[in-house]
Amino acid sequence: MSKKKTDNRNMTDAEKKKSRKTGFYYSFLTVVLVFCFLQIGYGAILNISKIVSYQSKMHTLEKVLEQTKLRNEDLKAERKMITSDNSLEGIARNNLKMAGKDEVLIIINKKVEKPAKKKTGFKGFNFDFLKRRHEEDVKPLDQQPYIPQEFDEE
């Protein structure tokens, strides 16, 4: 032990500076390596989370694609059914009120019910004049054409 003390005492200033320099370099390299490992770990975690996210998005899009393909097939079958002659004739007869050759068109109107009596406001006073009347401006939605489900090929 006394030899080490004498060794430290006997070290020159240049040797002491050199040992401090190497100690500083080792400390600096340790900090840099720890920083690099932290960056690598953060990058790995980020990439794994992105992979999981993209996998779930891909799974969802595959489901949507499958549903879209089924819908497309249904629409193709419906188009084929609608464009047949008998279904076009059914649409013309039922929705457009058309008749064939040598036929007489008879239209039976359904009985329209009168709307129920309007409720009045406070103590029998009617506040309708305060409401905007735009019911005449609103047009009814176009009804879907009647498409017969069965048709005979002639």
Side-chain angles (χ1 to χ4, degrees), residues 7-120:
D7 284 343
N8 283 340
R9 289 182 192 160
N10 292 338
M11 288 178 74
T12 63
D13 288 337
E15 290 174 344
K16 286 181 182 178
K17 283 184 181 179
K18 188 176 181 183
S19 89
R20 278 190 225 146
K21 242 183 187 177
T22 55
F24 174 75
Y25 287 139
Y26 288 149
S27 299
F28 179 72
L29 287 177
T30 304
V31 170
V32 169
L33 285 174
V34 167
F35 180 73
C36 289
F37 283 134
L38 289 175
Q39 285 288 74
I40 289 170
Y42 176 73
I45 290 171
L46 188 66
N47 284 336
I48 289 171
S49 66
K50 282 184 180 180
I51 287 171
V52 169
S53 172
Y54 290 149
Q55 288 285 341
S56 66
K57 286 180 183 178
M58 189 171 73
H59 183 67
T60 304
L61 289 174
E62 285 174 351
K63 283 183 180 180
V64 169
L65 177 66
E66 188 63 32
Q67 290 173 350
T68 306
K69 284 181 180 179
L70 291 174
R71 173 85 172 128
N72 194 16
E73 289 175 10
D74 290 344
L75 289 174
K76 283 181 182 178
E78 188 176 330
R79 188 185 91 203
K80 187 180 272 187
M81 185 176 69
I82 287 175
T83 56
S84 70
D85 290 337
N86 288 339
S87 66
L88 290 176
E89 184 179 343
I91 291 170
R93 287 176 188 269
N94 295 322
N95 296 345
L96 303 176
K97 309 297 184 213
M98 298 174 80
K101 261 187 182 176
D102 300 328
E103 291 182 349
V104 176
L105 180 64
I106 299 174
I107 299 174
I108 300 173
N109 291 329
K110 295 181 182 177
K111 184 179 178 182
V112 178
E113 294 182 19
K114 293 182 180 180
K117 187 177 178 183
K118 292 183 180 180
K119 293 183 179 179
T120 55

Side-chain angles (χ1 to χ4, degrees), residues 118-132:
K118 292 183 180 180
K119 293 183 179 179
T120 55
F122 179 70
K123 293 188 178 181
F125 188 72
N126 195 348
F127 290 101
D128 281 345
F129 68 93
L130 297 175
K131 297 179 184 175
R132 282 181 102 182

